[in-house]
Amino acid sequence: MSGYSVPWEGDDNPLLINDPRYSPAGVLAPKARGDMAFIMHSLSWLSASGTAAIVCYPGIMYRSGTEKKIRKYLIENNFIDCVIQLPANLFLNVPGAVNILLLRKNKIDNSILFVDASGQFVKETKNNRLSEENITAIVEAVSKKEDKEHFAYLASFDEIKKNDFKLSVSIYVEPEDTREIIDIKKLNLEIAEIVRREEVLRAEIDKIIAEIEGGHEND
C-alpha cells in the first residue's frame, strides 16, 4: 500500500479529529502530506494480529510537528515493527529513495528493526529494480530481526526515544565506508621518490642548459 505524500482534507474538515481512524493520535496529518493519515487509516483496519506494509516518503520519519506526534503515538503504542530504506529510482516518477513502514498489531517486544537496503538493487536503464537475491536479503533481515553490520539494526525503545522519536534508517544503521583506504607511509614514500626523480631531472636539465650556454660563449 502507498500513501506517498498525497494531499488530503486534514483540519479543513473539523469532523476528522473525532474520526476513530485518526483520533487516537490526538492530531491530524498535515494537509499537504497525507502519509500519516494513510498510516493511521491502515492501522485502524488491521485485525488484532494484522500486518501492513506501507510505502512512505522518507521525510515522515524525521519531520517535526504533527507528524512527529503521530510517530510518537505509533512508537509508544508499539505498532511499528520495521522501517526499510529502499534504493532510489525504483518507481517511475519517484527519483529518490523510499521507505517501507511495517505495522504490526501483535508485537511482543517494543524494539524496531531498521534495514538499510539502499544498496540492494540491480541497475536497469533509467530505473533500478530489486532482484530475487535482493528481496531474499531484505525478507531474511526482517524475519531474523538481528543486527547485521551496515545493513540491519534492532533499536530499543529507549534508543528511539533518545533520538527524539525519529525513525530515519540512517540514524540507526551506519553506512559502509566504501572510500579507498590510503596507506600514508606508502604514499609518503611515493612522494619522496617523485621528488627525488624531479631533482635528478632538474640537475640533468641544468647540465644541458649550462652546456648550451657554454657553447654559445665559445662562438
Side-chain angles (χ1 to χ4, degrees):
M1 292 186 293
S2 174
Y4 204 81
S5 293
V6 178
W8 77 307
E9 290 180 284
D11 56 14
D12 279 349
N13 184 345
L15 299 177
L16 288 177
I17 193 59
N18 294 316
D19 189 308
R21 294 173 295 173
Y22 314 116
S23 57
V27 292
L28 296 173
K31 288 181 291 186
R33 301 182 294 267
D35 302 71
M36 283 299 189
F38 188 81
I39 289 168
M40 291 296 294
H41 168 83
S42 302
L43 180 66
S44 71
W45 283 99
L46 288 183
S47 67
S49 59
T51 301
I54 303 170
V55 177
C56 306
Y57 181 72
I60 70 165
M61 302 299 173
Y62 60 81
R63 287 193 295 242
S64 58
T66 58
E67 287 177 313
K68 176 187 174 181
K69 291 178 181 178
I70 297 172
R71 259 195 335 266
K72 187 171 181 284
Y73 163 78
L74 294 169
I75 294 167
E76 288 183 335
N77 286 274
N78 205 27
F79 291 131
I80 299 179
D81 189 54
C82 179
V83 181
I84 304 168
Q85 181 174 313
L86 293 178
N89 296 315
L90 277 183
F91 306 104
L92 292 174
N93 303 318
V94 183
V98 299
N99 287 169
I100 291 180
L101 182 69
L102 191 63
L103 298 177
R104 197 185 299 275
K105 272 196 172 180
N106 62 342
K107 280 183 66 184
I108 299 172
D109 63 300
N110 63 355
S111 59
I112 296 177
L113 181 71
F114 294 87
V115 178
D116 182 0
S118 57
Q120 296 284 323
F121 65 89
V122 176
K123 188 72 178 174
E124 280 192 355
T125 59
K126 293 182 180 180
N127 285 90
N128 300 322
R129 71 172 178 85
L130 297 176
S131 67
E132 288 296 326
E133 185 179 347
N134 299 145
I135 294 170
T136 298
I138 295 169
V139 172
E140 284 184 355
V142 174
S143 299
K144 291 180 179 179
K145 277 200 166 184
E146 296 175 352
D147 294 347
K148 185 176 181 180
E149 192 175 19
H150 309 307
F151 186 61
Y153 182 75
L154 190 62
S156 67
F157 173 82
D158 290 338
E159 286 179 273
I160 296 165
K161 183 178 180 181
K162 184 179 179 182
N163 285 313
D164 200 28
F165 295 96
K166 291 184 173 72
L167 296 175
S168 298
V169 172
S170 59
I171 296 174
Y172 303 94
V173 182
E174 183 180 358
E176 185 175 4
D177 190 349
T178 57
R179 294 175 298 178
E180 181 182 357
I181 298 174
I182 298 174
D183 186 331
I184 299 299
K185 289 184 179 179
K186 182 180 178 182
L187 180 62
N188 285 336
L189 289 173
E190 290 175 351
I191 292 172
E193 177 62 19
I194 291 170
V195 171
R196 186 191 68 78
R197 289 179 182 176
E198 285 183 347
E199 289 174 348
V200 171
L201 181 60
R202 172 55 61 186
E204 291 176 351
I205 292 172
D206 288 345
K207 182 179 178 181
I208 293 170
I209 291 173
E211 290 177 355
I212 294 173
E213 290 176 343
H216 282 303
E217 288 176 359
N218 294 329
D219 290 343

